[in-house]
Amino acid sequence: MSFFALLETICASMAFALSFMAICLLALRRDPNGIYRPLIIFFSANAFIEAVSVLDAFPEYGYFENLSQIAEIISIPAFLLLAPALWLYVRGLTSETRLALTKSDGKHFIPFILGAIACSLLLFSPASIRNQIIGDGDGPDTAWIISITLMIVFIMLMWAAQVIIYIIALLHRISMYRTRLKDVFASTEGRELKWIVWMIVLLVATIFIMLPDLFISFSELIEFIPSVFNVILIWFLAIWGLRQMPGFIALGASELPVASDQTDNLSAFQSSATKYEKSALTENDTSRIAKKIEAAMEENQLFLDANLSLRLLAKHVSVQPNYVSQTLNGHIGETFFDYINRWRIDYAKPLLANSDETVLNITYDSGFNSRSSFYKAFKKETGKTPTAYRSFAKSKA
């Protein structure tokens, strides 16, 4: 076994261990919302794939060669479970309701079923045919062998297309989810799922290296790189996936509400114009609600609550949350996130200009719960950092 082959085996063993550990932790974890169940599917499929990679390190032993060959065939459909499982997990994290799998979700598993059928034909073929297709065997290219070979190639291409489609879908989902977060929360730290974006970037890099290797033989060093990326990817998902809470879960609540039709809340990801076109609110209604919101800010300084959400604001002004959201987006012209942060920044400006309080203290006094979010929002609103604004204000005094 060469040096890089040994490192590949070590990486596969590490990825298998991480996946197995994650499966055990997920199996013991209370999951009333069903969000983490797709992760069990993902890690189970990946653990099997990594186990096959470890078996491939012992082809010189007849027993392992036969076992590895059978396991390799069975693992092919497992690849087709990874992307759908990841998608269902992210969908659960970004949904506003507790979702159950429906009949329409069966479409996500069609590639897996097709792959399982094709690989079953190969698995139950004579050993000589299996060895000729995926091993070192030799023989005439019969119609049966050509057919199965073409099916396996088709599955590989289908897997590549599947991954690309789901990557695009995941990026779109997260983008719309972040937009929706700003309609609901004044602070989005810990909810933005930045780690998933970095994981997708790593996945894309891995695919760009792996796909050509299916058709072109590269050096062992280049073939080793995807193994390293894969370990990092599994580590990312094992660590962050287990600790990430659903973005829309209510503070202090143990469960998300259940959708009445058990379907995804797509309205949460629509544009404002589409969302409110059937609303019963009139212009007078939105003006009245806007005055209530302004009073809550001016008189009660509700924006100073670091945990303020759309639901809490709606409860304070005794108006339904969707009507408050419509008023903010349609009448006032700002998302909840931007509206509350504008009030916080207006509150922070005189503190920066007329006091010697530290920027960190002013950050928390103004309702922000992190220095980074304060700096980002302040610069977006004023074009200056809080420190630069303080220096500018004091120089004018």
Side-chain angles (χ1 to χ4, degrees), residues 223-335:
E223 291 180 351
F224 166 66
I225 294 175
S227 300
V228 177
F229 283 3
N230 185 56
V231 172
I232 298 173
L233 189 102
I234 298 303
W235 178 85
F236 251 107
L237 194 55
I239 299 299
W240 287 97
L242 288 166
R243 67 189 295 187
Q244 182 68 57
M245 295 294 291
F248 290 110
I249 194 166
L251 293 173
S254 60
E255 294 188 5
L256 292 169
V258 181
S260 57
D261 58 356
Q262 291 296 324
T263 56
D264 195 9
N265 187 5
L266 294 178
S267 63
F269 298 94
Q270 296 171 348
S271 65
S272 296
T274 305
K275 257 194 304 186
Y276 305 130
E277 62 182 8
K278 296 181 180 179
S279 173
L281 284 186
T282 64
E283 186 64 30
N284 288 335
D285 292 330
T286 54
S287 296
R288 176 178 51 82
I289 295 171
K291 290 177 181 178
K292 283 188 173 185
I293 295 172
E294 293 286 325
M297 298 299 119
E298 291 178 357
E299 298 170 13
N300 305 112
Q301 295 187 320
L302 215 60
F303 58 88
L304 295 181
D305 181 0
N307 296 319
L308 184 63
S309 66
L310 180 71
R311 187 174 296 276
L312 291 175
L313 173 59
K315 184 178 180 180
H316 183 85
V317 298
S318 301
V319 177
Q320 292 183 30
N322 58 317
Y323 289 165
V324 174
S325 180
Q326 180 178 347
T327 300
L328 289 169
N329 284 275
H331 185 81
I332 297 176
E334 290 181 292
T335 64

Side-chain angles (χ1 to χ4, degrees), residues 1 9 53-66 68:
M1 183 184 297
T9 303
S53 297
V54 174
L55 282 175
D56 283 342
F58 307 97
E60 61 270 21
Y61 301 102
Y63 173 77
F64 281 106
E65 182 178 7
N66 187 52
S68 174

